[in-house]
Each structure stands twice: as C-alpha cells, then as structure tokens.
C-alpha cells in the first residue's frame, strides 16, 4: 500500500493574494477549455495501478482540494479527517505510551474525555491546566511531552498566550498542538506563533453550515512539520479515520465564504455581548473580544438557563457551533462537561442573521426568566 499522494492537480494560488482571495481560489482544478471550475467529488475506493494513489484510504483528490485550501489559510499543510475528534486522536497518537500531556482543563469535552480514557488505560499522564494562566501552564510543563492548547476554550472562552506557552513548551522539548476551531484562521494562525500542530473541527466554522462532520490537522511547511505530517498521514491511513468525498466537497464549498461569515458573525457577537452585559437576567458575559462565540451565565442557575434555551424561536437549541445559524446550549446538561463550568452557563454560537432579530429573540427568552 503506497503512502504517496497525488501530485497537485490544482490551479496555482498566488501566495501574495490575501487570505479572503485564497479561500475562494484554492483547490480549483487546472484551467483548460471546458474544464469544471469546481473539483469533482471523487467516489472511488481504489485507483488503476501504478499511479500516485493505489487505494482510497490513503488519499482522494476531493480531500486534497480541501486540504490545499485549509493549509493555505493556516500557513501550513493540512490533512483532513472524518471528524474533529479523529483529528484530536491523531495528534494525541504522536506521543509515546506513558507520555505526559498538559491540556486545557476546559478544552472541548470530547478532547478531555479522550485524554481521560487514555489516562485511565495507563497510556498517558494528563495534567489539566487553566490555559489562560500562563504561569500555571509553564509550571506544569516540566517533563511534559505534549501541550494541547485550546484558545478560546469551549465553552469557558478562556484565552491563552499562545506564543509564550509555545516558547516555554519548546524550551522543555514538548510538542505543541493548538485547537483553533473557535478562532478560525481568519482571526488566529497558531503556526505563525510557533505551534507544531493545529487542530480543527472543520464541522464548525470552516464548513460553516451544520451539515457535515470533518476534522483537520495542519503542520508547518518546514522539515520538522513534514516529519509530523508523515506520521499523522500514516495514522490516518492505518486507523482509517478518513473523510468522505462528499463531506470534503461540502466543506470546501463552505470554506469559500469563511471570511464573510466570520466577519458578520463576529460583528453580531460584539454587539450582542454589549447588550447582554446590560440585561438583568445575565450575571456574567464571557466574550474574549473577538470571534463569534460567547457564553453567558444567567441568574437563576440551571433551571433558568434551560428555560432560556428552550424559549428561543430563532436561535436553535442544539449542540455544536460555527454554523450560519445562531445556536445556544447549556453545557452542563452533559455529564461529560467539566464540573468547573457553571451550571447556569449558556454557550452562544452567533450566526450571520440580522443582529436585531437575534437580540429580540434572545432578549425575550431572557426577559421571561428575569
Ligand atoms: C466540536 C469540537 C471538536 C470535535 O469536533 P467534531 O467534528 O465534533 O468531532 C474539537 N474541538 C473543538 C474546540 C470543538 O468545538
């Protein structure tokens, strides 16, 4: 089973183009008379022998098109996975048995659950940290093999000092991964801060329409990055955590509008954060000052938070985030959520609707409990 991948078949993208332009232009087929402007959705399990690919668990041209686009936005080389969790799992597999992993206490609960399971099986040691407390994280890095940053964290919205943490981890020989799902490459490019591996739940903003699950891992385009990428590719191939070609196509279509979606949703979030601050039913607003995710703590605890979540007509009461439509959810309804997340916390994923409609719907739900 050859591990090589196909030669790029894409129309070239000028690296001097702005990110907005590259998001639109990347992963398009080579241009010739009558050629399609979009990549084909390649439904095949195998390829005619002696080409660059011999079996479709190793590679697929539709994945490659999406990977070129995501890699270009993060400033590295991307590999796509069947879900964000498959991408997290591939990154955790980079460290040997018995390794010590320092990770955000309030990372996405799938990530903390995965680490907890590996720790319970005796495969890893996990040191949970408050990722916004640089001193605490640095103190936990001694003899660590891997630091997993998530910033902002899901759902506490803590922000890490990525360059400082990365430098401290590298001084101690630890690998640094950063889950960039919340910020997206529009607002934050961790590889430029020295991070070794970027993780995405492409399911969220990159695909952006709540219609696919996909993940990605992005490594730097240097020698060290290429070695990591080769290991991650081997993991994907042998564990089989591959995306479907249709999902890859849909995610690439969604990615075309990433910048306009993030800009509009972020503007909506900034406006709502200010208004929520003044609402009598809201005890605390967690808004990092950028991006389209925020969290509120409502007065009246879990019951009030559940009531608010159930009462909106426009905002959907649903898990997940990063779609064009606004979503909200009380996170402690899940047993797996960290017990340090307040019972009354509602995570808000702000979409691209008109901000006045979002506000009146949310304000009415909040009014009902105040
Ligand atoms: C959703 C999410 C994941 C997991 O991604 P899936 O695509 O649901 O598997 C990982 N990290 C963060 C920050 C997420 O929000």
């Amino acid at each position: 089973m050859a591990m090589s991948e196909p030669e790029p078949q894409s129309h070239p993208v000028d690296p001097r183009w702005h990110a907005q332009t590259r998001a639109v232009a990347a992963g398009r087929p080579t241009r010739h008379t009558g050629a399609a402007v979009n990549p084909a959705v390649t439904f095949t399990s195998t390829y005619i022998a002696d080409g660059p690919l011999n079996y479709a668990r190793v590679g697929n041209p539709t994945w490659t098109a999406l990977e070129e686009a995501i890699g270009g936005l993060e400033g590295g080389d991307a590999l796509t996975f069947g879900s964000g969790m498959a991408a997290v799992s591939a990154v955790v597999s980079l460290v040997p048995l018995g390794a010590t992993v320092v990770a955000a206490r309030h990372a996405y609960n799938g990530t903390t659950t995965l680490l907890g399971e590996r720790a319970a099986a005796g495969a890893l040691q996990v040191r949970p940290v408050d990722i916004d407390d640089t001193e605490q994280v640095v103190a936990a890095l001694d003899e660590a093999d891997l630091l997993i940053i998530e910033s902002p964290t899901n759902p506490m919205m803590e922000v890490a000092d990525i360059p400082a943490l990365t430098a401290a981890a590298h001084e101690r020989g630890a690998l640094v991964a950063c889950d960039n799902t919340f910020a997206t490459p529009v607002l934050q490019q961790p590889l430029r801060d020295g991070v070794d591996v970027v993780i995405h739940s492409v399911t969220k903003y990159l695909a952006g329409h709540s219609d696919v699950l996909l993940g990605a891992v992005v490594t730097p385009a240097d020698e060290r990055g290429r070695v990591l990428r080769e290991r991650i590719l081997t993991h994907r191939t042998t564990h089989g955590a591959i995306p479907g070609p249709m999902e890859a196509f849909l995610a690439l279509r969604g990615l075309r509008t990433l910048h306009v979606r993030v800009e509009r949703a972020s503007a909506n979030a900034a406006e709502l954060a200010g208004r929520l601050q003044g609402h009598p039913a809201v005890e605390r607003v967690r808004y990092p000052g950028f991006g389209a995710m925020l969290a509120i703590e409502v007065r009246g605890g879990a019951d009030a938070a559940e009531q608010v979540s159930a009462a909106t007509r426009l905002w959907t009461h649903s898990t997940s985030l990063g779609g064009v439509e606004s979503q909200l959810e009380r996170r402690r309804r899940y047993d797996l959520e960290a017990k340090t997340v307040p019972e009354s916390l509602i995570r808000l994923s702000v979409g691209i609707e008109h901000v006045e409609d979002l506000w009146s719907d949310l304000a009415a739900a909040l009014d009902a409990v105040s």
Side-chain angles (χ1 to χ4, degrees):
M1 191 168 58
M3 301 300 280
S4 60
E5 287 170 274
E7 295 301 311
Q9 299 290 314
S10 311
H11 188 70
V13 170
D14 189 329
R16 289 166 304 182
W17 287 340
H18 295 85
Q20 290 87 337
T21 307
R22 286 183 278 111
V24 172
R28 303 272 185 191
T30 46
R31 290 184 189 177
H32 57 82
T33 306
V37 297
N38 285 304
V41 186
T42 304
F43 288 111
T44 193
S45 63
T46 191
Y47 305 92
I48 302 299
D50 299 326
L53 281 173
N54 74 341
Y55 192 52
R57 186 155 28 75
V58 182
N60 175 296
T62 320
W63 308 348
T64 307
L66 174 63
E67 287 165 353
E68 285 173 11
I70 295 175
L73 293 181
E74 285 289 1
D77 295 318
L79 287 167
T80 48
F81 286 81
S83 68
M85 281 314 300
V88 172
S89 177
V91 169
V92 172
S93 80
L94 288 169
V95 294
L97 272 181
T100 296
V101 179
V102 177
R105 188 188 314 285
H106 295 131
Y108 174 65
N109 71 21
T111 302
T112 54
T113 303
L114 177 109
L115 291 173
E117 269 183 13
R118 303 298 293 148
L124 293 177
Q125 258 139 28
V126 180
R127 295 183 190 150
V129 288
D130 297 310
I131 206 72
D132 57 348
D133 183 341
T134 301
E135 255 177 57
Q136 187 195 120
V137 180
V138 171
L141 283 171
D142 273 333
E143 318 269 301
D145 300 281
L146 171 64
L147 167 64
I148 304 181
I149 300 172
E150 189 176 301
S151 183
T153 54
N154 179 356
M156 294 285 268
M157 306 305 304
E158 298 139 327
V159 174
D161 184 343
I162 299 175
L165 296 183
T166 301
H170 283 166
E171 265 169 38
R172 291 157 182 82
L175 194 71
V176 182
C178 181
D179 187 326
N180 202 28
T181 299
F182 269 35
T184 82
V186 175
L187 303 172
Q188 173 170 289
Q189 292 140 27
L191 294 184
R192 301 196 202 287
D193 295 327
V195 162
D196 303 298
V197 189
V198 167
I199 300 167
H200 272 287
S201 171
V202 177
T203 310
K204 316 291 170 54
Y205 288 101
L206 298 190
H209 295 74
S210 307
D211 51 8
V212 295
L213 272 99
L214 269 181
V217 172
V218 196
T219 43
D222 55 17
E223 196 40 45
R224 192 171 139 77
R226 269 187 283 280
V227 172
L228 286 171
R229 182 179 186 282
E230 206 51 44
R231 292 179 58 201
I232 293 165
L233 174 60
T234 301
H235 175 96
R236 182 178 73 177
T237 302
T238 54
H239 289 245
I242 56 168
M246 193 68 219
E247 280 77 359
F249 179 89
L250 287 171
L252 181 57
R253 185 167 75 164
L255 190 73
R256 302 296 187 206
T257 55
L258 176 67
H259 289 79
V260 283
R261 286 186 286 106
V262 168
E263 281 161 27
R264 164 62 80 86
S266 298
N268 283 350
E271 178 63 29
L272 292 177
R275 294 190 193 187
L276 285 162
Q277 204 84 56
H279 197 285
V282 177
E283 203 168 336
R284 178 169 178 186
V285 178
R286 294 171 176 267
Y287 171 61
F290 63 96
M293 294 300 302
L294 58 145
I296 54 172
E297 293 166 33
V298 298
R299 291 186 209 283
D303 288 347
E306 285 294 335
Q307 252 176 277
V308 171
S309 310
T312 55
R313 290 193 308 138
L314 175 57
W315 294 72
T316 66
H317 181 202
S318 53
T319 201
S320 199
L321 57 104
V324 289
E325 76 286 16
S326 294
Q327 294 168 269
L328 85 177
E329 185 181 40
R330 185 178 80 87
R331 290 300 293 173
R332 281 296 297 282
R333 58 191 358 244
Y334 299 106
D335 280 345
L336 289 176
E337 194 58 89
K339 302 295 176 252
T340 39
V341 172
E343 287 280 5
S344 67
L345 182 142
I346 302 175
R347 184 182 69 192
L348 304 176
S349 169
V350 180
I352 65 168
E353 304 92 334
H354 197 289
V355 70
E356 295 301 342
D357 297 329
L358 291 175
W359 173 245
S360 53
D361 190 47
L362 190 57
L366 288 165
D367 289 346
V369 299
S370 38

